[in-house]
Amino acid sequence: MNPWNKRFQDDSYVYGTEPNVFLAETQKRLQLTGNALAIAEGEGRNAVFLAEQGMNVTAWDYAESGLTKTKRLAEARGVSVHTELVDLNEAHWKKDVWDELVCIFGHFPKELRMKTLMGIKEAVKPGGYFISEVYSNCQIPYQSGGPKEIGFLYTPEEFLQTFSDWRIVHFFMGEVVRNEGELHKGLSHVIQFVGQKPLKNK
């Protein structure tokens, strides 16, 4: 059993049931519509929130127990979320599919992280958005959650270089306070990114 599948087996939602604050603020500001994909979605708090905003939402995770809880949370909130058991190592990124793609605290080794960011770049529709909040490579001294291995943490260059040809709507690296369930609590060092894929030239 992978560790995330084990972690999410308990009935409680370890990151809570409310959406990430940055995602909620960004979604309400941009008023996005259409098809959304939430990757490394865990127990579904962000996917369910997007569905509540009227998006057609798909959630990817490689912990079946997390996807089960996503379905349960969606049902309790009166919305629908399509779930798919996806190992990002083997993900098939279809071109120009998603109006919105979300990665909230999805942390992976560098090779997979870069492969995933390139997949995201491919999969967002022209005019669509990628929204992310993750722990930065300055997070290690903080006691508020996240990986304890530097190799799993993001650098600003990974976003700014990968998406250098996109319109960067928002970029921030610095301290925020997050209280998301039992595992994200307190002062944290994060990177926030909102990028819009350019429209194709006619």
Side-chain angles (χ1 to χ4, degrees):
M1 182 184 294
N2 78 56
W4 290 103
N5 205 32
K6 187 174 182 180
R7 175 171 285 181
F8 296 148
Q9 279 198 321
D10 192 75
D11 284 341
S12 66
Y13 283 74
V14 295
Y15 298 108
T17 57
E18 296 305 308
N20 170 261
V21 170
F22 173 66
L23 174 62
E25 290 173 349
T26 301
Q27 188 72 18
K28 287 172 181 175
R29 179 164 60 89
L30 296 178
Q31 294 288 300
L32 300 181
T33 59
N35 299 317
L37 173 65
I39 67 166
E41 176 51 13
E43 301 164 304
R45 63 195 178 101
N46 297 305
V48 168
F49 166 76
L50 293 175
E52 289 177 317
Q53 309 311 303
M55 303 289 289
N56 301 314
V57 185
T58 297
W60 284 3
D61 204 273
Y62 85 134
E64 200 159 351
S65 58
L67 296 176
T68 298
K69 289 165 87 171
T70 298
K71 287 285 195 185
R72 188 188 312 154
L73 183 60
E75 186 176 344
R77 297 274 181 84
V79 295
S80 176
V81 172
H82 177 66
T83 60
E84 294 181 8
L85 187 65
V86 175
D87 181 340
L88 289 173
N89 285 290
E90 301 165 3
H92 177 55
W93 297 95
K94 294 181 180 177
K95 188 175 177 62
D96 299 346
V97 174
W98 305 103
D99 297 289
E100 177 177 1
L101 207 152
V102 172
C103 177
I104 303 297
F105 296 118
H107 289 270
F108 332 105
K110 180 162 186 174
E111 184 178 351
L112 177 56
R113 189 162 69 244
M114 297 312 298
K115 179 181 175 183
T116 300
L117 289 175
M118 292 305 296
I120 290 167
K121 190 174 182 180
E122 184 84 354
V124 173
K125 288 180 182 177
Y129 289 81
F130 171 43
I131 300 170
S132 185
E133 180 172 88
V134 290
Y135 289 118
S136 83
N137 57 348
C138 298
Q139 172 66 13
I140 294 288
Y142 293 76
Q143 301 301 311
S144 50
K148 294 304 178 188
E149 293 179 47
I150 192 76
F152 281 73
L153 298 169
Y154 290 76
T155 68
E157 293 81 9
E158 290 170 350
F159 286 95
L160 296 174
Q161 291 175 6
T162 302
F163 298 96
S164 62
D165 55 341
W166 284 32
R167 183 172 76 96
I168 297 178
V169 177
H170 173 92
F171 181 84
F172 169 81
M173 178 175 175
E175 291 186 337
V176 299
V177 175
R178 290 289 174 260
N179 291 300
E180 302 178 335
E182 292 300 312
L183 298 183
H184 288 175
K185 277 195 169 182
L187 189 65
S188 309
H189 205 282
V190 302
I191 292 173
Q192 299 171 345
F193 180 84
V194 181
Q196 183 182 29
K197 189 171 185 173
L199 292 168
K200 292 180 179 177
N201 293 326
K202 293 183 180 179

